[in-house]
Amino acid sequence: MNDTRRVFLGVTAWTAGISALHGWLNVNWTALRNGLRSRDQLQTLVVAGLPVTCNLTLPIACEARNLDRTSTRANFEYKRYNGWPEIKESLISGQIDAAYMLAPLVMDLAAKDVPVKIVSIGHRSGAVIMVRTDSPYRKFQDLTGKRIAIPSRFAVDFLFLRKMLAKEGMSDKDIGIVEMAPPDMPAALYAKAVDAYCTGEPYGAAAQRAGYAVPLRMTRDEWPNYICCVLTVRQELIDQNPGLVQDLVNYVQGAGSWLDAQRDHRTLAAEISADIKYFNQDRAVIQYVMENPTDRVTYGDLRMIKEEFDDLMQLSLQAKTLTRPIAFERYIDDRFVKAAKPARIAL
């Protein structure tokens, strides 16, 4: 064999090896296997979420389901996203079949005939409006003309801010609204790039625990039945595999009951969710949310109440994040919650 042929074969083998390694490291094998099956034959159901404690029932549901060797249905795999727009696009495209989403955003998608339905809520309360500890801001009148960060105009955090402003005879026109990713908010407040921020946990607790921020208002005090993040699935999954949807709802409902049952459960939940495969966050910050106070965010009451969603829609219409009302039945499928048998969470 001459040298040229040896070089050619060597380069070919090296290229094939690198290509194989690249494929192994970068291909989403779960998605590929699922893509070759219809939705009634899924081995793993990927459920997307953000690393926020309003989504905490999802890592607990995934962990418990995957440890349950008695079930013959698909496992659940948590997929962490960094923002709601990315989850929205993945749901629209069908890249994922289930996710925790902002309730007003699901209403908007359903109004645009995107085939998605809310099948459970994921929490209650859990939003805060934070200001610097050394600031003079003690009421919203003090924030007139100041910059306040929100995650999105579709976020219920924004509706919470509007409610608090209205209590003092103000509107969002009296302040400067800045849309910002929640993980960036504590640093922005510390650097005085914003004067306050409104978001879900643990991004309020992170700044409070560090000592440079305090809550101006908390939903636990002002809006205890507040809901923001909701379990949303594509209609194809409901039609083709309703048993799997029911299984998912059962585990989410079970996770909610488990989280509120004992303080030790919340400690374990902070440890589980802090892992790199879930929130990838500081366990101590999540633990701070769980304890200061214990009802900073709650999970035990995951009923879907029509009147609460109607109120949420009216607030969204007033905020102009929705342009027209949408019938409850177009964006909600509550039969799974009504039939739910909360799963036993053995962790």
Side-chain angles (χ1 to χ4, degrees):
M1 184 182 295
N2 60 38
D3 290 343
T4 301
R5 183 170 176 78
R6 286 193 185 94
V7 170
F8 173 77
L9 291 174
V11 169
T12 301
W14 181 84
T15 302
I18 291 297
S19 298
L21 180 61
H22 173 79
W24 177 256
L25 292 175
N26 294 289
V27 170
N28 185 334
W29 295 103
T30 296
L32 183 60
R33 286 193 300 270
N34 285 339
L36 299 174
R37 297 182 175 90
S38 64
R39 286 177 173 84
D40 62 349
Q41 296 177 319
L42 288 177
Q43 288 187 345
T44 300
L45 175 63
V46 177
V47 189
L50 261 57
V52 292
T53 51
C54 293
N55 285 199
L56 185 57
T57 43
L58 181 54
I60 300 306
C62 290
E63 191 78 4
R65 171 64 193 85
N66 297 344
L67 291 173
D68 181 1
R69 303 306 180 193
T70 65
S71 178
T72 58
R73 296 194 193 279
N75 284 343
F76 305 147
E77 180 182 313
Y78 175 86
K79 183 173 184 180
R80 184 175 64 249
Y81 279 71
N82 293 321
W84 300 115
E86 294 83 3
I87 293 184
K88 180 189 77 170
E89 293 304 320
S90 293
L91 269 177
I92 290 173
S93 67
Q95 182 181 344
I96 55 175
D97 286 318
Y100 273 38
M101 281 278 285
L102 300 169
L105 190 52
V106 181
M107 296 175 187
D108 182 62
L109 291 178
K112 295 172 179 174
D113 296 320
V114 177
V116 292
K117 292 280 179 65
I118 298 169
V119 295
S120 177
I121 68 173
H123 70 104
R124 288 188 184 276
S125 193
V128 290
I129 301 171
M130 305 297 294
V131 295
R132 286 181 60 95
T133 306
D134 60 2
S135 78
Y137 310 133
R138 295 298 176 263
K139 59 183 186 297
F140 286 96
Q141 291 285 351
D142 299 334
L143 286 163
T144 301
K146 303 299 183 181
R147 289 162 55 87
I148 302 181
I150 62 170
S152 162
R153 290 180 185 271
F154 279 103
V156 187
D157 314 82
F158 177 47
L159 303 182
F160 174 45
L161 175 61
R162 283 174 53 87
K163 281 172 71 81
M164 296 301 96
L165 290 169
K167 286 184 70 172
E168 296 189 23
M170 300 171 66
S171 76
D172 54 6
K173 292 182 175 60
D174 296 312
I175 57 172
I177 295 289
V178 181
E179 293 193 33
M180 182 180 294
D184 298 334
M185 292 181 183
L189 185 69
Y190 183 81
K192 299 184 179 180
V194 296
D195 300 287
Y197 64 85
C198 180
T199 191
E201 297 291 6
Y203 301 110
Q208 185 179 359
R209 182 173 177 270
Y212 61 85
V214 293
L216 179 60
R217 295 290 186 274
M218 304 173 76
T219 50
R220 69 175 290 270
D221 303 314
E222 306 288 348
W223 192 0
N225 64 343
Y226 166 100
I227 52 176
C228 181
C229 299
V230 291
L231 177 59
T232 307
V233 299
R234 285 184 60 87
Q235 188 64 47
E236 293 96 327
L237 184 63
I238 293 174
D239 293 340
Q240 296 176 23
N241 202 334
L244 180 55
V245 176
Q246 186 67 68
D247 203 29
L248 178 60
V249 170
N250 288 348
Y251 270 93
V252 166
Q253 295 277 325
S257 298
W258 181 85
L259 278 161
D260 279 6
Q262 295 181 30
R263 185 170 181 171
D264 288 351
H265 290 177
R266 289 187 162 220
T267 299
L268 180 55
E271 181 181 339
I272 290 170
S273 60
D275 189 87
I276 191 170
K277 69 179 178 179
Y278 294 122
F279 290 177
N280 193 27
Q281 291 175 339
D282 184 349
R283 183 204 60 76
V285 173
I286 302 174
Q287 185 69 38
Y288 190 91
V289 178
M290 297 291 98
E291 295 179 346
N292 296 279
T294 55
D295 61 348
R296 194 174 185 127
V297 54
T298 63
Y299 307 96
D301 179 10
L302 300 184
R303 294 173 298 156
M304 295 208 296
I305 300 170
K306 182 178 183 300
E307 291 74 18
E308 292 179 353
F309 280 97
D310 289 345
D311 289 344
L312 203 56
M313 179 180 297
Q314 288 304 315
L315 291 169
S316 299
L317 288 167
Q318 292 165 14
K320 295 182 170 53
T321 50
L322 293 179
T323 57
R324 65 182 187 276
I326 177 171
F328 182 77
E329 296 76 16
R330 286 191 60 192
Y331 66 91
I332 294 278
D333 190 335
D334 60 0
R335 59 182 155 148
F336 299 103
V337 164
K338 289 179 177 178
K341 296 178 181 178
R344 177 175 174 268
I345 304 299
L347 296 174

